[in-house]
mmCIF file of all heavy atoms in Angstrom:
data_model
loop_
_atom_site.group_PDB
_atom_site.id
_atom_site.type_symbol
_atom_site.label_atom_id
_atom_site.label_comp_id
_atom_site.label_asym_id
_atom_site.label_seq_id
_atom_site.Cartn_x
_atom_site.Cartn_y
_atom_site.Cartn_z
ATOM 1 N N GLN A 61 0.827 -1.191 0.000
ATOM 2 C CA GLN A 61 -0.001 0.001 -0.001
ATOM 3 C C GLN A 61 0.867 1.251 -0.001
ATOM 4 O O GLN A 61 2.015 1.237 0.449
ATOM 5 C CB GLN A 61 -0.980 0.011 1.175
ATOM 6 C CG GLN A 61 -0.386 0.361 2.539
ATOM 7 C CD GLN A 61 0.135 -0.829 3.295
ATOM 8 O OE1 GLN A 61 0.979 -1.558 2.773
ATOM 9 N NE2 GLN A 61 -0.337 -1.025 4.523
ATOM 10 N N THR A 62 0.289 2.334 -0.510
ATOM 11 C CA THR A 62 0.980 3.615 -0.563
ATOM 12 C C THR A 62 -0.088 4.702 -0.668
ATOM 13 O O THR A 62 -1.278 4.396 -0.750
ATOM 14 C CB THR A 62 1.942 3.675 -1.770
ATOM 15 O OG1 THR A 62 2.656 4.905 -1.773
ATOM 16 C CG2 THR A 62 1.204 3.536 -3.092
ATOM 17 N N ASP A 63 0.325 5.955 -0.640
ATOM 18 C CA ASP A 63 -0.546 7.071 -0.998
ATOM 19 C C ASP A 63 0.296 7.979 -1.873
ATOM 20 O O ASP A 63 0.823 8.999 -1.421
ATOM 21 C CB ASP A 63 -1.068 7.789 0.249
ATOM 22 C CG ASP A 63 -2.081 8.894 -0.089
ATOM 23 O OD1 ASP A 63 -2.350 9.101 -1.292
ATOM 24 O OD2 ASP A 63 -2.580 9.552 0.843
ATOM 25 N N TYR A 64 0.420 7.579 -3.133
ATOM 26 C CA TYR A 64 1.380 8.235 -4.025
ATOM 27 C C TYR A 64 0.960 9.657 -4.386
ATOM 28 O O TYR A 64 1.796 10.498 -4.728
ATOM 29 C CB TYR A 64 1.567 7.400 -5.297
ATOM 30 C CG TYR A 64 0.442 7.545 -6.299
ATOM 31 C CD1 TYR A 64 0.536 8.428 -7.373
ATOM 32 C CD2 TYR A 64 -0.739 6.819 -6.164
ATOM 33 C CE1 TYR A 64 -0.498 8.573 -8.284
ATOM 34 C CE2 TYR A 64 -1.771 6.948 -7.062
ATOM 35 C CZ TYR A 64 -1.648 7.824 -8.123
ATOM 36 O OH TYR A 64 -2.686 7.964 -9.023
ATOM 37 N N ASN A 65 -0.363 9.959 -4.316
ATOM 38 C CA ASN A 65 -0.838 11.277 -4.733
ATOM 39 C C ASN A 65 -1.310 12.142 -3.577
ATOM 40 O O ASN A 65 -1.932 13.190 -3.781
ATOM 41 C CB ASN A 65 -1.954 11.130 -5.769
ATOM 42 C CG ASN A 65 -3.112 10.270 -5.261
ATOM 43 O OD1 ASN A 65 -3.069 9.766 -4.138
ATOM 44 N ND2 ASN A 65 -4.121 10.093 -6.091
ATOM 45 N N ASN A 66 -1.031 11.707 -2.338
ATOM 46 C CA ASN A 66 -1.317 12.516 -1.143
ATOM 47 C C ASN A 66 -2.783 12.949 -1.048
ATOM 48 O O ASN A 66 -3.088 14.065 -0.610
ATOM 49 C CB ASN A 66 -0.424 13.766 -1.115
ATOM 50 C CG ASN A 66 0.932 13.488 -0.487
ATOM 51 O OD1 ASN A 66 1.125 12.473 0.180
ATOM 52 N ND2 ASN A 66 1.889 14.378 -0.714
ATOM 53 N N ASP A 67 -3.707 12.046 -1.429
ATOM 54 C CA ASP A 67 -5.118 12.407 -1.336
ATOM 55 C C ASP A 67 -5.817 11.768 -0.142
ATOM 56 O O ASP A 67 -7.023 11.912 0.045
ATOM 57 C CB ASP A 67 -5.859 12.048 -2.630
ATOM 58 C CG ASP A 67 -5.958 10.545 -2.871
ATOM 59 O OD1 ASP A 67 -5.314 9.772 -2.118
ATOM 60 O OD2 ASP A 67 -6.663 10.142 -3.817
ATOM 61 N N GLY A 68 -5.048 11.031 0.683
ATOM 62 C CA GLY A 68 -5.619 10.410 1.868
ATOM 63 C C GLY A 68 -6.291 9.084 1.627
ATOM 64 O O GLY A 68 -6.820 8.477 2.563
ATOM 65 N N ASN A 69 -6.271 8.593 0.379
ATOM 66 C CA ASN A 69 -6.824 7.281 0.054
ATOM 67 C C ASN A 69 -5.690 6.300 -0.191
ATOM 68 O O ASN A 69 -4.714 6.628 -0.881
ATOM 69 C CB ASN A 69 -7.714 7.366 -1.196
ATOM 70 C CG ASN A 69 -8.916 8.251 -0.981
ATOM 71 O OD1 ASN A 69 -9.598 8.146 0.037
ATOM 72 N ND2 ASN A 69 -9.179 9.147 -1.931
ATOM 73 N N THR A 70 -5.817 5.111 0.362
ATOM 74 C CA THR A 70 -4.734 4.132 0.309
ATOM 75 C C THR A 70 -4.699 3.439 -1.046
ATOM 76 O O THR A 70 -5.636 2.727 -1.423
ATOM 77 C CB THR A 70 -4.896 3.095 1.432
ATOM 78 O OG1 THR A 70 -4.938 3.772 2.689
ATOM 79 C CG2 THR A 70 -3.749 2.105 1.426
ATOM 80 N N ASP A 71 -3.611 3.648 -1.788
ATOM 81 C CA ASP A 71 -3.425 3.072 -3.113
ATOM 82 C C ASP A 71 -2.685 1.734 -3.006
ATOM 83 O O ASP A 71 -2.214 1.353 -1.927
ATOM 84 C CB ASP A 71 -2.654 4.045 -3.999
ATOM 85 C CG ASP A 71 -3.228 5.457 -3.948
ATOM 86 O OD1 ASP A 71 -4.414 5.610 -4.265
ATOM 87 O OD2 ASP A 71 -2.483 6.393 -3.578
ATOM 88 N N ILE A 72 -2.545 1.040 -4.145
ATOM 89 C CA ILE A 72 -1.933 -0.293 -4.158
ATOM 90 C C ILE A 72 -0.862 -0.361 -5.241
ATOM 91 O O ILE A 72 -1.061 0.142 -6.361
ATOM 92 C CB ILE A 72 -2.988 -1.383 -4.420
ATOM 93 C CG1 ILE A 72 -4.081 -1.347 -3.346
ATOM 94 C CG2 ILE A 72 -2.352 -2.771 -4.468
ATOM 95 C CD1 ILE A 72 -5.254 -2.276 -3.644
ATOM 96 N N PHE A 73 0.248 -0.996 -4.927
ATOM 97 C CA PHE A 73 1.297 -1.275 -5.909
ATOM 98 C C PHE A 73 1.420 -2.786 -6.032
ATOM 99 O O PHE A 73 1.642 -3.480 -5.033
ATOM 100 C CB PHE A 73 2.619 -0.657 -5.457
ATOM 101 C CG PHE A 73 3.671 -0.577 -6.531
ATOM 102 C CD1 PHE A 73 3.377 -0.112 -7.802
ATOM 103 C CD2 PHE A 73 4.981 -0.959 -6.270
ATOM 104 C CE1 PHE A 73 4.344 -0.025 -8.794
ATOM 105 C CE2 PHE A 73 5.964 -0.877 -7.237
ATOM 106 C CZ PHE A 73 5.647 -0.410 -8.509
ATOM 107 N N VAL A 74 1.240 -3.308 -7.253
ATOM 108 C CA VAL A 74 1.265 -4.744 -7.528
ATOM 109 C C VAL A 74 2.571 -5.085 -8.246
ATOM 110 O O VAL A 74 2.902 -4.469 -9.265
ATOM 111 C CB VAL A 74 0.074 -5.167 -8.406
ATOM 112 C CG1 VAL A 74 0.055 -6.678 -8.603
ATOM 113 C CG2 VAL A 74 -1.240 -4.697 -7.799
ATOM 114 N N LEU A 75 3.289 -6.065 -7.724
ATOM 115 C CA LEU A 75 4.608 -6.433 -8.265
ATOM 116 C C LEU A 75 4.521 -7.802 -8.930
ATOM 117 O O LEU A 75 4.051 -8.768 -8.336
ATOM 118 C CB LEU A 75 5.637 -6.432 -7.139
ATOM 119 C CG LEU A 75 5.825 -5.043 -6.519
ATOM 120 C CD1 LEU A 75 6.114 -5.141 -5.043
ATOM 121 C CD2 LEU A 75 6.932 -4.288 -7.234
ATOM 122 N N ARG A 76 5.014 -7.891 -10.166
ATOM 123 C CA ARG A 76 4.822 -9.103 -10.966
ATOM 124 C C ARG A 76 6.117 -9.597 -11.623
ATOM 125 O O ARG A 76 7.075 -8.860 -11.772
ATOM 126 C CB ARG A 76 3.809 -8.844 -12.088
ATOM 127 C CG ARG A 76 2.433 -8.411 -11.652
ATOM 128 C CD ARG A 76 1.475 -8.392 -12.840
ATOM 129 N NE ARG A 76 0.142 -7.953 -12.454
ATOM 130 C CZ ARG A 76 -0.294 -6.701 -12.563
ATOM 131 N NH1 ARG A 76 0.518 -5.771 -13.047
ATOM 132 N NH2 ARG A 76 -1.515 -6.383 -12.197
ATOM 133 N N GLY A 77 6.052 -10.880 -12.049
ATOM 134 C CA GLY A 77 7.073 -11.459 -12.920
ATOM 135 C C GLY A 77 8.184 -12.201 -12.217
ATOM 136 O O GLY A 77 9.029 -12.816 -12.872
ATOM 137 N N ALA A 78 8.204 -12.176 -10.870
ATOM 138 C CA ALA A 78 9.307 -12.799 -10.136
ATOM 139 C C ALA A 78 9.406 -14.291 -10.426
ATOM 140 O O ALA A 78 8.405 -14.966 -10.653
ATOM 141 C CB ALA A 78 9.120 -12.571 -8.644
ATOM 142 N N TRP A 79 10.636 -14.788 -10.415
ATOM 143 C CA TRP A 79 10.986 -16.198 -10.568
ATOM 144 C C TRP A 79 10.792 -16.737 -11.984
ATOM 145 O O TRP A 79 11.211 -17.867 -12.266
ATOM 146 C CB TRP A 79 10.190 -17.095 -9.613
ATOM 147 C CG TRP A 79 10.484 -16.939 -8.167
ATOM 148 C CD1 TRP A 79 9.629 -16.509 -7.195
ATOM 149 C CD2 TRP A 79 11.730 -17.204 -7.497
ATOM 150 N NE1 TRP A 79 10.243 -16.499 -5.971
ATOM 151 C CE2 TRP A 79 11.530 -16.927 -6.124
ATOM 152 C CE3 TRP A 79 12.977 -17.661 -7.923
ATOM 153 C CZ2 TRP A 79 12.551 -17.082 -5.175
ATOM 154 C CZ3 TRP A 79 13.991 -17.811 -6.981
ATOM 155 C CH2 TRP A 79 13.769 -17.526 -5.632
ATOM 156 N N LEU A 80 10.184 -15.980 -12.883
ATOM 157 C CA LEU A 80 9.837 -16.533 -14.190
ATOM 158 C C LEU A 80 10.947 -16.433 -15.212
ATOM 159 O O LEU A 80 10.829 -16.979 -16.308
ATOM 160 C CB LEU A 80 8.567 -15.851 -14.716
ATOM 161 C CG LEU A 80 7.300 -16.208 -13.940
ATOM 162 C CD1 LEU A 80 6.140 -15.339 -14.382
ATOM 163 C CD2 LEU A 80 6.966 -17.678 -14.098
ATOM 164 N N GLY A 81 12.013 -15.720 -14.872
ATOM 165 C CA GLY A 81 13.210 -15.753 -15.697
ATOM 166 C C GLY A 81 13.046 -15.115 -17.065
ATOM 167 O O GLY A 81 12.153 -14.311 -17.326
ATOM 168 N N LYS A 82 13.906 -15.516 -17.961
ATOM 169 C CA LYS A 82 13.996 -14.916 -19.290
ATOM 170 C C LYS A 82 12.681 -15.073 -20.050
ATOM 171 O O LYS A 82 12.142 -16.150 -20.173
ATOM 172 C CB LYS A 82 15.130 -15.560 -20.076
ATOM 173 C CG LYS A 82 15.400 -14.907 -21.426
ATOM 174 C CD LYS A 82 16.595 -15.541 -22.096
ATOM 175 C CE LYS A 82 16.882 -14.863 -23.434
ATOM 176 N NZ LYS A 82 18.055 -15.452 -24.107
ATOM 177 N N GLY A 83 12.183 -13.979 -20.542
ATOM 178 C CA GLY A 83 10.975 -14.011 -21.362
ATOM 179 C C GLY A 83 9.707 -13.926 -20.565
ATOM 180 O O GLY A 83 8.955 -12.957 -20.665
ATOM 181 N N TYR A 84 9.433 -14.926 -19.724
ATOM 182 C CA TYR A 84 8.139 -15.011 -19.053
ATOM 183 C C TYR A 84 7.995 -14.029 -17.896
ATOM 184 O O TYR A 84 6.887 -13.710 -17.479
ATOM 185 C CB TYR A 84 7.911 -16.441 -18.561
ATOM 186 C CG TYR A 84 7.995 -17.452 -19.683
ATOM 187 C CD1 TYR A 84 9.086 -18.321 -19.777
ATOM 188 C CD2 TYR A 84 7.019 -17.507 -20.665
ATOM 189 C CE1 TYR A 84 9.177 -19.226 -20.819
ATOM 190 C CE2 TYR A 84 7.105 -18.415 -21.701
ATOM 191 C CZ TYR A 84 8.196 -19.268 -21.782
ATOM 192 O OH TYR A 84 8.288 -20.164 -22.815
ATOM 193 N N GLY A 85 9.099 -13.558 -17.361
ATOM 194 C CA GLY A 85 9.037 -12.639 -16.224
ATOM 195 C C GLY A 85 8.949 -11.181 -16.600
ATOM 196 O O GLY A 85 8.838 -10.324 -15.727
ATOM 197 N N ASN A 86 8.989 -10.880 -17.873
ATOM 198 C CA ASN A 86 8.935 -9.482 -18.299
ATOM 199 C C ASN A 86 7.495 -8.982 -18.265
ATOM 200 O O ASN A 86 6.846 -8.779 -19.295
ATOM 201 C CB ASN A 86 9.528 -9.342 -19.699
ATOM 202 C CG ASN A 86 11.014 -9.622 -19.680
ATOM 203 O OD1 ASN A 86 11.764 -8.964 -18.969
ATOM 204 N ND2 ASN A 86 11.433 -10.614 -20.430
ATOM 205 N N GLN A 87 7.009 -8.790 -17.055
ATOM 206 C CA GLN A 87 5.640 -8.370 -16.828
ATOM 207 C C GLN A 87 5.641 -6.996 -16.159
ATOM 208 O O GLN A 87 6.535 -6.679 -15.380
ATOM 209 C CB GLN A 87 4.915 -9.375 -15.929
ATOM 210 C CG GLN A 87 4.874 -10.784 -16.490
ATOM 211 C CD GLN A 87 4.213 -11.764 -15.534
ATOM 212 O OE1 GLN A 87 3.613 -11.381 -14.533
ATOM 213 N NE2 GLN A 87 4.344 -13.047 -15.835
ATOM 214 N N PRO A 88 4.636 -6.183 -16.435
ATOM 215 C CA PRO A 88 4.576 -4.872 -15.787
ATOM 216 C C PRO A 88 4.091 -4.996 -14.353
ATOM 217 O O PRO A 88 3.332 -5.892 -14.008
ATOM 218 C CB PRO A 88 3.547 -4.120 -16.632
ATOM 219 C CG PRO A 88 2.619 -5.205 -17.108
ATOM 220 C CD PRO A 88 3.504 -6.421 -17.342
#
């Protein structure tokens, strides 16, 4: 969680692609 825009609402950061290595892990 974060509040990247300082509006008092809790935002979310989703992290992807771990462990998938060459090709398959290139996810946003």
Side-chain angles (χ1 to χ4, degrees):
Q61 76 271 56
T62 183
D63 185 359
Y64 78 97
N65 56 359
N66 275 344
D67 67 352
N69 297 314
T70 303
D71 311 302
I72 301 172
F73 195 46
V74 184
L75 297 146
R76 300 188 181 95
W79 293 116
L80 291 171
K82 186 176 181 179
Y84 303 108
N86 293 302
Q87 301 177 10

